[in-house]
Amino acid sequence: MAKKSKKQQSGAGGTPATVALSAAGVEFTVHAYEHDPAHPSYGEEAAEAMGVSPERVFKTLVADVDGALVVAVVPVAGSLDLKSLATAVGGKRAAMADPTLAERTTGYVRGGISPLGQRKKLRTVLDASADAHDTICVSAGRRGLEVELSPQDLLKLTEAVAAPIARA
């Protein structure tokens, strides 16, 4: 598992997510690992490769809530509760977004969508369980690359709300 400090990552070659983190001046650590295309779960693969509890590794999902795209950030150990997500943003109905639309809107590929540095800033909800950890890991903007940061910094940078949106 390779790690890079904030200073090492701030140069050329960063992803939009790491560039946004560097520009904001927050502390973060980049974790790189060799992505296995045959692995059945991007998030579980990341947790295993980094040796981090799946409760601390969060996946970024894009949903359609009443016709608007919304980003949900939930632990890879669980799943997204769409009804809770809709409630968290004052909506009535939520469904998973079309993957092609999610990629086009965020600027990232599926399995590498980061809640940070998206092409179009989307409303974001972070599962409330993140608050139980000093740091969490989210995608850094490509498969095989994660960024570790405090949940408070993620909330601030994405202007997210925290709400119980995950199911075990």
Side-chain angles (χ1 to χ4, degrees), residues 46-137:
E48 291 166 11
M50 295 185 303
V52 174
S53 164
E55 288 78 23
R56 280 190 51 227
V57 179
F58 283 63
K59 56 190 169 187
T60 306
L61 303 171
V62 181
D64 179 314
V65 179
D66 298 336
L69 293 182
V70 175
V71 172
V73 186
V74 298
V76 302
S79 61
L80 173 62
D81 182 328
L82 289 164
K83 186 174 182 175
S84 295
L85 176 65
T87 300
V89 296
K92 294 183 183 195
R93 282 201 178 119
M96 293 307 298
D98 172 71
T100 302
L101 179 61
E103 289 179 343
R104 190 171 52 245
T105 304
T106 64
Y108 293 118
V109 297
R110 199 166 142 222
I113 294 178
S114 177
L116 300 155
Q118 295 179 357
R119 181 177 293 149
K120 179 180 179 188
K121 189 172 183 123
L122 298 174
R123 197 161 181 193
T124 302
V125 181
L126 174 62
D127 184 64
S129 68
D131 195 45
H133 308 286
D134 291 334
T135 61
I136 60 171
C137 298

